[in-house]
Amino acid sequence: MAARSTVIYGDPVLRETCDPVEEVNREIKDLVSDLIGTLIEAKGLGLAAPQIGVTKRVFIVDISAADINAKITAFINPEIIETSKEEAEFEEGCLSFPGLYRNIYRPAKVKVRATDLEGNQFELDADGIMARAILHEYDHLDGKLFIDRMSPLTRTMLAGRLKKMREVS
Ligand code: NI
């Protein structure tokens, strides 16, 4: 388990559509291990493979900061099966946007299917912070970022700050 550096907004890898995982082999297990090491060091709620520069459909979620019984969960080839019509507003951040936090609307609940580290499929119904983290990380696999979900007004207000981030990265 090694902490890798997190890719910051402006790096084109964050806009790529990630490739499905064909087999849960050593390479994928090492990838998940590195994601975990990186997430723990960065103290985030979730991390997707492209955020460490790997364009594979893999992300991890760790909501243990909010729920001490929660375990780190790896999602390989996740599919969003269902989302609730009801939306919720939560403050979100993203490790690829240091220091940027904004309220974002997303579905309040989600049903997701994915493969685990043993290669077995599982389904999960999530709400609250877990649903939020899953939907945020899932977006990363399609090259979508939380700024895309902000209102046009918010994005206009953030334009200067985002430009600076792109220039530094
Ligand atoms: Ni993110």
Side-chain angles (χ1 to χ4, degrees), residues 14 46-48 51 92-97 106 133 136-137 139-140 144-146:
L14 291 177
L47 190 65
Q51 292 182 279
E92 282 186 32
C94 178
L95 294 175
S96 296
F97 293 80
R106 292 187 193 265
H136 176 114
E137 298 313 326
D139 268 357
H140 275 295
K144 286 194 206 126
L145 301 170
F146 79 145

Side-chain angles (χ1 to χ4, degrees), residues 39-138:
L39 184 64
I40 288 172
E41 192 173 280
K43 299 187 172 67
L45 290 174
L47 190 65
Q51 292 182 279
I52 57 169
V54 180
T55 53
K56 294 271 184 208
R57 301 190 78 80
V58 177
F59 66 76
I60 61 165
V61 168
D62 176 15
I63 59 158
S64 58
D67 175 0
I68 51 164
N69 297 314
K71 297 212 164 58
I72 298 179
T73 310
F75 297 80
I76 299 166
N77 294 338
E79 295 167 71
I80 303 292
I81 301 170
E82 219 177 293
T83 52
S84 62
K85 280 220 177 70
E86 181 202 351
E87 294 204 320
E89 188 183 21
F90 263 103
E91 188 181 67
E92 282 186 32
C94 178
L95 294 175
S96 296
F97 293 80
L100 184 63
Y101 299 90
R102 282 294 181 280
N103 283 358
I104 309 272
Y105 280 97
R106 292 187 193 265
K109 294 176 188 172
V110 61
K111 184 195 271 291
V112 61
R113 180 190 297 138
T115 299
D116 67 17
L117 273 177
E118 275 73 55
N120 301 314
Q121 272 207 342
F122 65 97
E123 278 185 19
L124 184 72
D125 288 295
D127 59 10
I129 294 177
M130 189 68 183
R132 179 52 53 129
I134 288 168
L135 290 165
H136 176 114
E137 298 313 326
Y138 183 85

